[in-house]
Amino acid sequence: MESRYEAIAPTAWGLDVAGVATRLMGAGRAVALTFDACGGPGGHGYDAALLGFLRQEHIPATLFLNARWVDANPGVFRELAADPLFDIANHGTRHLPLSVRGQSAYGIGGTRNVGEVYDEVAGNAAKLFGLLGHRVRLFRSGTAHYDDVATRIVGDLGERVVGFEVNGDGGATFTPLQVTQAMRTVRPGSIVIAHMNHPSHGTAAGMRVALPVLRDAGYRFVQVADYLP
Ligand SMILES: [Zn+2]
């Protein structure tokens, strides 16, 4: 991996670079919900109200889990992994922006080289494989920032990079009202990002209002992995 990519300079950095899927393909009037669990200083919590609501309403979601969050929540992890409503995905080993040159996002320093990109993706992939007994298909980095060399490395490691079109909870900072306002921008094929590790913030209360509104408007909730371009 290092010999293949070490000499290649990235040409783009951000949330939406080459190799990042931000919308669904061929899904019709559908929306895909993704919830991140960041772990570490980003929060070890578990939003039981949010996940309970999804179950009650039979709404599927993709759960991007960081290795540190998994370590802190072994019982909840087993419960979520056993539920076919949820697709478990990779949210990194140390929750770092994914760069081959050490670029940072929101003040968080990114991976510094090809080897650190590999470790950030493959470390948690191996952990999840050991727990699930199958490989996960999708990856999202901490902060969801990438360069266009890093996204190629993720692809070589067998995972697709999933970004987003709708920021549903502003990094788990939104009030319930702000969540419902953000969710009004959903359109057919949107991928929504929000968080499942901040139970005291507005995500769950906002989604409880917003998701039934979308369903009444004719939207289906689908898994990202089934409709990637
Ligand atoms: Zn995160």
Side-chain angles (χ1 to χ4, degrees), residues 36-38 91 95 141-143 195:
D36 294 359
C38 306
H91 194 35
H95 199 260
S141 68
T143 76
H195 288 76

Side-chain angles (χ1 to χ4, degrees), residues 1-2 67 90 92-94 96 98 111 113-126 139 153 157:
M1 201 67 81
E2 294 197 3
N90 184 355
T93 307
R94 294 189 292 154
L96 301 178
L98 210 65
T111 48
N113 51 50
V114 173
E116 288 194 4
V117 169
Y118 180 92
D119 291 345
E120 182 64 13
V121 179
N124 194 36
F139 179 84
I153 296 171
L157 290 170

Side-chain angles (χ1 to χ4, degrees), residues 68-159:
R68 302 164 309 172
W69 188 92
V70 172
D71 288 341
N73 295 275
V76 171
F77 175 85
R78 281 192 294 274
E79 188 189 301
L80 296 172
D83 191 332
L85 204 53
F86 304 127
D87 187 22
I88 304 294
N90 184 355
H91 194 35
T93 307
R94 294 189 292 154
H95 199 260
L96 301 178
L98 210 65
S99 167
V100 295
R101 295 288 190 269
Q103 284 190 264
S104 58
Y106 312 121
I108 301 173
T111 48
R112 292 171 295 184
N113 51 50
V114 173
E116 288 194 4
V117 169
Y118 180 92
D119 291 345
E120 182 64 13
V121 179
N124 194 36
K127 174 188 288 291
L128 293 172
F129 178 80
L131 293 168
L132 296 167
H134 63 81
R135 297 181 63 86
V136 298
R137 301 173 285 181
L138 308 176
F139 179 84
R140 174 182 290 146
S141 68
T143 76
H145 278 65
Y146 311 85
D147 67 43
D148 55 334
V149 177
T151 58
R152 287 169 62 186
I153 296 171
V154 178
D156 282 2
L157 290 170
E159 297 180 18

